[in-house]
């Protein structure tokens, strides 16, 4: 970019003088003495190559060149002020565009409160919200396609920083007519031999392994049946009688007909939701979003949103 031909300070001095048409009053507004103001106007006239003011005893008026320059000078000053405000907002994380990935199971639990909290803090930020399972969300974060993510069981990935938001237990998801649905608590070992509706491992390896690990802790290997990428589909397939499943407690919010959600006899088995971003010093927008998620400053521990759903 070429160096600007006109100095901003000179344009400001000229605009104020054009309004006051009096060197004394203009100098007072600008907080300078009259001689420096006169020198600024003189330098501006030298750059333009024409007189901008007609000086007469007790009277100042604009020349034709001055009248032509004045609107452009005001626009330039306004543009710079607008740019400064925008830069300050962006630099402090109060404007811009934030791309957010989220796990579908959080749509009715964590996500609405998080978005409300962030919008209250940063109403001028444009949000681009994308529903993604853990593996695609991880790839999108590392590849720069999204800026921040809310994911279940984030992987141990060197390029990602993760802050826990909440921990929740698992529930057994059963067809409503299943004999075990009559119980308040389901012994997991009694699900041995049942076909399981599971998430594909490549969609969320850590979540998949956590569920199969819970089953192994109960003494059996889950027998794979149908597979589905989203929890709503998992529950729908269970309602259709195609198997049983283990799912995070928050799936109760789905309230699908034909499905029973029951606690298990392994309450210590839990799943974690975290807010994640690329490792390193996060930008101001990401830092403000993390702070909104955690209910405080980004460098504080988990706030009001952190905790148990059960």
């Amino acid at each position: 970019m070429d160096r600007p031909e006109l100095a901003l300070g000179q344009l400001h001095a000229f605009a104020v003088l054009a309004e006051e048409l009096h060197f004394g009053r203009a100098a007072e507004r600008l907080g300078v003495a009259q001689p420096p103001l006169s020198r600024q106007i003189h330098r501006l006239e030298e750059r333009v190559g024409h007189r901008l003011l007609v000086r007469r005893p007790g009277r100042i008026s604009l020349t034709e060149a001055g009248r032509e320059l004045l609107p452009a000078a005001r626009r330039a000053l306004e543009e710079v002020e607008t740019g400064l405000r925008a830069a300050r907002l962006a630099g402090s994380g109060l404007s811009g565009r934030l791309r957010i990935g989220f796990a579908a199971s959080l749509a009715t639990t964590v996500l609405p409160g998080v978005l409300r909290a962030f919008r209250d803090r940063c109403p001028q930020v444009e949000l681009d919200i994308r529903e993604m399972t853990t593996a695609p969300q991880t790839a999108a974060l590392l590849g720069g396609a999204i800026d921040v993510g809310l994911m279940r069981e984030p992987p141990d990935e060197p390029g990602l920083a993760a802050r826990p938001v909440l921990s929740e237990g698992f529930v057994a998801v059963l067809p409503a007519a299943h004999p075990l649905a009559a119980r308040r608590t389901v012994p997991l070992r009694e699900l041995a031999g049942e076909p399981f509706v599971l998430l594909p491992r490549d969609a969320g390896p850590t979540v998949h392994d956590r569920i199969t690990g819970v089953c192994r802790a109960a003494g059996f290997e889950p027998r794979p049946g149908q597979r589905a990428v989203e929890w709503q589909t998992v529950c729908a397939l269970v309602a259709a009688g195609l198997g049983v499943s283990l799912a995070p407690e928050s799936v109760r919010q789905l309230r699908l007909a034909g499905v029973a959600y029951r606690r298990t006899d392994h309450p210590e088995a839990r799943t974690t939701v975290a807010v994640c971003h690329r490792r390193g010093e996060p930008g101001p927008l990401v830092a403000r979003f993390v702070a909104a998620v955690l209910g405080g400053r980004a460098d504080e521990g988990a706030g009001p949103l952190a905790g148990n759903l059960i």
Side-chain angles (χ1 to χ4, degrees):
M1 179 180 291
D2 294 336
R3 181 180 177 182
E5 187 178 354
L6 301 179
L8 194 64
Q10 293 171 4
L11 289 178
H12 185 212
F14 169 67
V16 171
L17 186 57
E19 291 175 7
E20 297 292 345
L21 294 177
H22 188 281
F23 270 93
R25 291 193 298 270
E28 185 176 354
R29 274 183 60 183
L30 292 166
V32 299
Q34 290 189 43
L37 174 58
S38 296
R39 287 195 291 272
Q40 281 189 305
I41 298 302
H42 180 67
R43 292 191 189 102
L44 180 59
E45 288 178 328
E46 286 182 334
R47 284 185 174 271
V48 173
H50 296 280
R51 297 283 297 275
L52 302 174
L53 302 164
V54 177
R55 303 166 178 82
R56 295 188 179 90
R59 181 184 171 198
I60 297 174
S61 60
L62 296 177
T63 64
E64 185 66 27
R67 287 192 293 272
E68 189 67 28
L69 178 61
L70 182 58
R74 286 172 171 161
R75 286 195 301 272
L77 293 169
E78 289 172 0
E79 285 291 327
V80 169
E81 182 61 30
T82 299
L84 283 173
R85 284 196 299 269
R88 286 166 182 154
L89 286 171
S92 59
L94 293 172
S95 70
R97 182 167 175 260
L98 186 65
R99 301 165 299 173
I100 305 167
F102 75 97
S105 62
L106 306 179
T108 59
T109 55
V110 175
L111 188 67
V114 164
L115 295 182
R116 280 194 301 269
F118 184 70
R119 294 293 290 173
D120 287 345
R121 295 175 182 220
C122 306
Q124 297 185 60
V125 174
E126 177 188 355
L127 299 181
D128 179 355
I129 303 167
R130 310 177 189 184
E131 182 179 307
M132 310 171 82
T133 54
T134 300
Q137 194 174 151
T138 300
L141 277 171
L142 294 175
I146 60 175
D147 305 303
V148 66
L150 288 164
M151 67 175 74
R152 187 176 298 282
E153 299 296 338
D156 185 12
E157 169 58 56
L160 291 185
R163 303 286 299 275
V165 177
L166 62 85
S167 170
E168 57 179 324
F170 287 100
V171 293
V173 185
L174 308 169
H178 195 287
L180 291 175
R183 302 191 186 184
R184 296 185 62 182
T185 299
V186 171
L188 279 181
R189 65 181 178 277
E190 295 196 23
L191 297 180
E194 297 270 5
F196 266 70
V197 182
L198 294 171
L199 300 175
R201 192 175 187 280
D202 57 2
T206 314
V207 180
H208 178 278
D209 292 350
R210 179 62 57 88
I211 291 171
T212 55
V214 171
C215 294
R216 291 185 187 118
F220 69 96
E221 190 75 24
R223 180 162 69 87
Q226 301 296 319
R227 298 190 182 274
V229 173
E230 303 296 350
W231 287 114
Q232 183 167 356
T233 309
V234 168
C235 294
L237 294 178
V238 170
L242 298 181
V244 300
S245 190
L246 280 180
E249 173 81 9
S250 55
V251 300
R252 288 180 181 269
Q253 301 287 336
L254 297 176
R255 302 186 184 280
L256 291 180
V259 177
Y261 306 103
R262 297 293 181 265
R263 296 179 185 272
T264 77
D265 61 345
H266 283 247
E268 75 284 355
R270 307 188 69 78
T271 176
T272 299
V273 173
V275 57
C276 305
H277 58 82
R278 287 179 292 281
R279 189 170 294 281
E281 187 65 28
L285 265 179
V286 170
R288 284 189 177 273
F289 183 80
V290 171
V293 172
L294 300 179
R297 299 196 322 272
D299 58 351
E300 290 179 341
L305 285 176
N308 300 337
L309 285 183
I310 60 176

